Amino acid sequence: MKKKQVGILGGTFDPPHLGHVILANEVLQALKLDEIRFMPNQEPPHKMKVADVTNNDRLNMLKLAIADHPKFVIETIELERTGPSYTYDTMVLLKAREPDIDFYFIIGADMIEYLPKWKNIEQLVQLVNFVGVNRPKYSHKTHYPITFVEIPDIQISSSIIRERLYHHMSVQYLIADQVWDYIKEHHLYGT
């Protein structure tokens, strides 16, 4: 029997935007995966979270962002732990919990360049299949084994959305309407 194939898309999702959803759907379709799990970080080792947005807010926004896709689910394993979220530690736990799943860890080209600095990268490439996607201005060349998926160039980022919200600019068509409603209702990002 064929193992279930699950993509993992980690991130702060602060806030989740349409670029996240497009990227996940492109990888899902290209590799014919069974599902994509969106995995919010607890404490990403390489960036800071926004102070006024709680883990619960990020989780709620993510639920709203992916609600209409039957193969998109949320993986909360990193929110269940404290301290920095290192991919190696997370994947050891996930593989122990679900040994019959082949995991495909999705990263952008910006993270491909950063792979040599990842914790226990040599062991990590034995645990997961890395899937790289293009990002403008970044190379996807690496000596690590990565399946590359070409996706439409998406120049949406959570930081751009936060900046626009801070300056009271429109984020229409960059985030799902339900996410925008949640941000307004909970007065996040200075709204």
Side-chain angles (χ1 to χ4, degrees), residues 75 77-78 80-81 86-99 103 127:
E75 173 59 66
I77 192 167
E78 290 197 341
E80 296 159 12
R81 300 184 359 242
Y86 291 104
T87 303
Y88 174 76
D89 298 334
T90 301
M91 294 314 302
V92 165
L93 291 172
L94 271 179
K95 288 294 283 183
R97 191 172 78 186
E98 301 176 86
F103 288 104
L127 287 176

Side-chain angles (χ1 to χ4, degrees), residues 136-151:
K137 302 179 190 156
Y138 291 97
S139 168
H140 59 267
K141 297 193 183 340
T142 181
H143 70 274
Y144 294 105
I146 293 184
T147 301
F148 189 75
V149 175
E150 188 78 32
I151 65 169

Side-chain angles (χ1 to χ4, degrees), residues 44-184:
H46 61 284
K47 63 169 89 167
M48 296 294 292
K49 290 186 299 191
V50 176
D52 71 337
V53 179
T54 67
N55 286 347
N56 201 47
D57 287 325
R58 294 187 301 129
L59 196 54
N60 288 334
M61 288 187 289
L62 191 53
K63 286 176 186 172
L64 293 168
I66 68 171
D68 63 350
H69 199 299
K71 292 189 175 189
F72 288 174
V73 296
I74 296 176
E75 173 59 66
T76 60
I77 192 167
E78 290 197 341
L79 295 179
E80 296 159 12
R81 300 184 359 242
T82 58
S85 299
Y86 291 104
T87 303
Y88 174 76
D89 298 334
T90 301
M91 294 314 302
V92 165
L93 291 172
L94 271 179
K95 288 294 283 183
R97 191 172 78 186
E98 301 176 86
D100 295 332
I101 292 182
D102 283 334
F103 288 104
Y104 292 76
F105 199 86
I106 305 162
I107 58 174
D110 55 330
M111 287 290 106
I112 293 173
E113 290 184 0
Y114 196 72
L115 277 178
K117 297 180 173 127
W118 281 33
K119 178 182 177 183
N120 298 344
I121 185 62
E122 299 301 331
Q123 294 89 343
L124 183 56
V125 296
Q126 305 301 315
L127 287 176
V128 300
N129 304 289
F130 271 104
V131 178
V133 297
N134 50 294
R135 283 196 73 174
K137 302 179 190 156
Y138 291 97
S139 168
H140 59 267
K141 297 193 183 340
T142 181
H143 70 274
Y144 294 105
I146 293 184
T147 301
F148 189 75
V149 175
E150 188 78 32
I151 65 169
D153 282 339
I154 303 165
Q155 299 206 40
I156 305 171
S157 70
S158 296
S159 59
I160 288 172
I161 291 166
R162 291 191 305 268
E163 182 75 14
R164 291 177 74 111
L165 291 170
Y166 178 79
H167 291 291
H168 307 289
M169 297 169 62
S170 172
V171 292
Q172 188 173 22
Y173 307 118
L174 301 177
I175 59 176
D177 291 341
Q178 306 91 307
V179 174
W180 174 228
D181 290 342
Y182 185 93
I183 289 170
K184 288 186 293 188

Side-chain angles (χ1 to χ4, degrees), residues 2-7 28 31-36 100-104 129:
K2 182 183 164 214
K3 282 187 170 184
K4 186 174 181 180
Q5 298 183 313
V6 173
L28 179 81
L31 300 182
K32 299 179 177 25
L33 301 178
D34 295 301
E35 71 183 29
I36 299 283
D100 295 332
I101 292 182
D102 283 334
F103 288 104
Y104 292 76
N129 304 289

